[in-house]
Amino acid sequence: MAWPELSIEDFPPRRDDEPSSLRQDIIDELSDHFACALNRELLKNPDEQIAKQRVLSQFGDPIKIARQLWLDAMKEKIMSQRIMTGISAVMAVCCIVVVGFAWILVQESRVINQKMLEHLATIADRPQPVAAVGREQQILDQLKELKEEQQAAANASSEDMNQISFQLVQDNKDKSPAAGFTGTLTKGGNPLETFTLDAASNAEGLLDFGKLPWGKYQLNLSAPWGESFHQNVSVIPGRNYSQVISCPTAAPAKVPVQFQIKWPGEFNADDWVLLCDFRNASGRKQQLESSRLIQDKNWIYQQNSTEEFSGVYFIDHQNQISAYPLSIDGEFKDINSQQLVGKSSVKMSQGRHILPDLILVQKKDLLKLSELNEQKNFNVLNNRRSDLGGYSLNYRRILGGNSGFSFDEVHTFLLIPFRNAPIHLAQSDAVNGNEGPRYADGIELSKRLVFTASQDEENLWEIKLPYLENLKMPEGLAGAGQGLF
């Protein structure tokens, strides 16, 4: 019987949204790792029981590992289900609150109607004047008193309300009004106090949300072409809030960009291409994202990938750029090297661009690029050394991780998914010297790659690849990856 003994029943109860082959894939992968480790131990000691015990002491209980891998694969779906449950609960509470407010308004209306009837009854019980004109004047005076009481009540209830407005101007010499911008103002606090209002700037550039309670808000402002920014707003009791905001005058222009790749050492790059994926994850889809500063405010410009403007490029050893034609759904397609049509430059939107993923691919492996669409984990060598002086090895799900300009602390990753042999981490660089050699499918660069496309300067973007000794090795695990950084 195969060792270790793993079965489908060792996993948690099956979920409806679980991929049908997930459990078997985990079992096959884990069994292969344990079998390879057992073979290595048998070379040291032919006693099978001792060899198995050593493998278990190194890796741990295979059933626990299998369950953890299953949980890592299903974590996103489980969290999505919990979030939807929470949203449903909040919506139910909001409905109850709306019904409560409606009931209160009905009660207030009844009180006002009762006061009017009491006033009319008082008028009817008083001695009538001789002249009819005097009686009509009495009725008018009573109605005037009632109106003044209602106005006083309204003024008392609006004492805690504050005017919130924004004056939008274009970022040019004339500071012309920025018309047609849409704004969303969201009140912070507990679920019973939160609400959202939408407004649009008029021809004078005024974005007016009216009178609102004091407190903390978040403003999300969007240009007609989709560029947007957000900021926090604090409204003090008894004081109106107004602010002048400078806005972009037009959508970011497309400017030419060139690349310069510094290949490592004596590495022969003729048979390799570097895939640069500038897309960032937004929900469940990848989008192109750039930013630019307008009067110290960071405006974000998001675009969907198209066949003409995908945001994914191949760069060869001569720094020739080939746009990668993604599928309609934004997924990778299999191509051949003859389809690469290199150019010296490519058009990018004006502003800052983040490059989260670099992928080294041999030209012969372009025929299986669609495998990158599979959501699987890769061993990634962490750039930060441990207290013991070694590098740490983490799992990372590539092509869809954290993104955007809110995560500037995240590093750029270099992945080599179609290696004949993985990057070999030498014994001296291991996290624990007793663990033996460790292997990785990619590495974390020392910083996040951020580039700026400008209309006024030459846009020559430099990418320096780390030294990867194993890329020069023949197939197999010969050699150690010294000096990875």
Side-chain angles (χ1 to χ4, degrees):
M1 181 177 294
W3 184 84
E5 299 178 7
L6 295 171
S7 66
I8 301 298
E9 287 72 21
D10 292 330
F11 291 85
R14 184 176 291 277
R15 294 171 55 89
D16 295 337
D17 55 354
E18 178 182 339
S20 59
S21 62
L22 175 61
R23 298 178 182 225
Q24 190 59 48
D25 290 343
I26 293 175
I27 291 174
D28 294 341
E29 185 70 19
L30 200 56
S31 298
D32 183 63
H33 279 290
F34 271 78
C36 291
L38 178 60
N39 290 335
R40 290 197 300 268
E41 293 296 336
L42 287 174
L43 294 176
K44 302 176 184 178
N45 191 329
D47 190 325
E48 185 175 353
Q49 292 302 322
I50 294 177
K52 289 182 177 179
Q53 188 62 35
R54 287 182 176 177
V55 173
L56 292 176
S57 65
Q58 292 178 8
F59 292 95
D61 186 356
I63 294 179
K64 290 183 179 179
I65 296 175
R67 290 186 175 185
Q68 184 61 44
L69 292 175
W70 178 88
L71 180 61
D72 291 341
M74 294 298 296
K75 185 180 296 183
E76 181 179 353
K77 294 183 179 180
I78 293 174
M79 291 303 297
S80 298
Q81 188 181 56
R82 291 179 179 176
I83 291 173
M84 289 302 299
T85 302
I87 292 175
S88 300
V90 172
M91 292 299 295
V93 172
C94 292
C95 292
I96 295 174
V97 172
V98 171
V99 172
F101 277 130
W103 184 83
I104 292 173
L105 291 175
V106 170
Q107 296 300 317
E108 290 181 352
S109 178
R110 290 179 179 177
V111 171
I112 293 174
N113 291 337
Q114 183 65 32
K115 286 185 178 182
M116 292 182 67
L117 292 175
E118 290 175 357
H119 277 285
L120 292 175
T122 302
I123 294 173
D125 293 339
R126 289 178 181 177
Q128 301 297 321
V130 177
V133 175
R135 182 180 179 184
E136 291 178 359
Q137 185 62 42
Q138 238 181 359
I139 295 174
L140 292 174
D141 292 341
Q142 294 295 330
L143 291 176
K144 182 179 180 181
E145 291 177 8
L146 179 60
K147 185 176 181 181
E148 290 175 351
E149 291 178 4
Q150 292 176 345
Q151 184 64 39
N155 292 336
S157 63
S158 62
E159 287 180 355
D160 294 333
M161 306 295 278
N162 304 267
Q163 184 74 27
I164 301 178
S165 61
F166 302 87
Q167 181 62 49
L168 308 185
V169 297
Q170 297 183 26
D171 184 35
N172 54 26
K173 181 179 180 181
D174 298 330
K175 299 298 180 181
S176 307
F181 282 68
T182 57
T184 300
L185 194 65
T186 302
K187 176 75 164 60
N190 61 60
L192 296 179
E193 296 177 345
T194 60
F195 58 85
T196 298
L197 293 176
D198 296 323
S201 60
N202 58 21
E204 288 75 34
L206 180 62
L207 185 68
D208 190 359
F209 289 96
K211 286 192 172 184
L212 298 173
W214 65 271
K216 295 185 178 299
Y217 293 83
Q218 184 178 69
L219 172 67
N220 290 280
L221 192 60
S222 297
W225 51 87
E227 201 170 7
S228 64
F229 98 100
H230 67 273
Q231 72 171 30
N232 295 323
V233 175
S234 296
V235 181
I236 301 174
R239 184 180 298 177
N240 295 333
Y241 183 93
S242 62
Q243 180 186 2
V244 178
I245 299 178
S246 294
C247 304
T249 59
K254 296 290 193 301
V255 297
V257 170
Q258 294 178 307
F259 289 90
Q260 185 176 39
I261 308 299
K262 291 192 175 181
W263 299 87
E266 299 177 358
F267 170 62
N268 183 8
D270 292 353
D271 296 331
W272 295 76
V273 289
L274 182 66
L275 187 150
C276 299
D277 192 347
F278 282 91
R279 299 174 300 164
N280 291 299
S282 178
R284 297 186 60 85
K285 63 180 181 179
Q286 300 275 2
Q287 286 187 320
L288 294 173
E289 187 170 289
S290 60
S291 73
R292 54 177 175 168
L293 285 177
I294 306 292
Q295 295 293 321
D296 297 329
K297 290 181 173 55
N298 200 31
W299 287 77
I300 305 297
Y301 187 41
Q302 290 184 332
Q303 307 167 78
N304 294 325
S305 297
T306 63
E307 290 190 2
E308 296 80 14
F309 190 55
S310 66
V312 183
Y313 306 98
F314 286 110
I315 306 175
D316 63 15
H317 66 290
Q318 296 179 335
N319 294 319
Q320 292 295 298
I321 311 168
S322 300
Y324 183 25
L326 300 169
S327 68
I328 298 178
D329 298 329
E331 294 187 337
F332 291 96
K333 298 190 299 185
D334 297 332
I335 63 174
N336 56 58
S337 58
Q338 285 72 31
Q339 293 178 258
L340 300 180
V341 181
K343 299 187 297 183
S344 60
S345 65
V346 67
K347 291 292 185 69
M348 301 283 283
S349 296
Q350 175 189 3
R352 295 171 67 234
H353 294 262
I354 288 177
L355 181 54
D357 291 308
L358 295 170
I359 304 176
L360 267 176
V361 184
Q362 283 186 293
K363 292 180 180 179
K364 64 182 181 62
D365 292 324
L366 295 175
L367 295 173
K368 52 183 180 181
L369 279 177
S370 60
E371 295 180 15
L372 295 176
N373 297 321
E374 301 176 7
Q375 291 293 312
K376 64 178 181 178
N377 290 327
F378 290 88
N379 286 325
V380 176
L381 193 62
N382 202 319
N383 183 51
R384 296 172 291 278
R385 281 180 174 267
S386 67
D387 295 336
L388 299 177
Y391 295 105
S392 59
L393 201 62
N394 297 331
Y395 282 113
R396 178 179 183 259
R397 189 182 298 276
I398 66 157
L399 308 179
N402 287 338
S403 69
F405 295 89
S406 300
F407 297 91
D408 287 339
E409 72 279 3
V410 181
H411 292 207
T412 296
F413 287 85
L414 171 65
L415 189 77
I416 313 173
F418 306 116
R419 293 287 311 281
N420 292 324
I423 302 171
H424 182 191
L425 176 60
Q427 178 80 23
S428 60
D429 285 337
V431 177
N432 187 333
N434 297 324
E435 293 183 0
R438 301 285 297 275
Y439 302 98
D441 304 296
I443 62 176
E444 177 186 88
L445 301 187
S446 59
K447 63 180 180 179
R448 196 171 206 193
L449 296 182
V450 180
F451 303 101
T452 300
S454 173
Q455 288 183 302
D456 305 325
E457 299 178 5
E458 181 183 7
N459 301 303
L460 181 60
W461 295 356
E462 180 180 295
I463 299 175
K464 183 178 180 180
L465 299 180
Y467 178 62
L468 302 171
E469 183 176 347
N470 274 13
L471 288 180
K472 301 187 298 180
M473 296 292 178
E475 294 188 8
L477 299 181
Q482 302 284 355
L484 288 174
F485 305 98

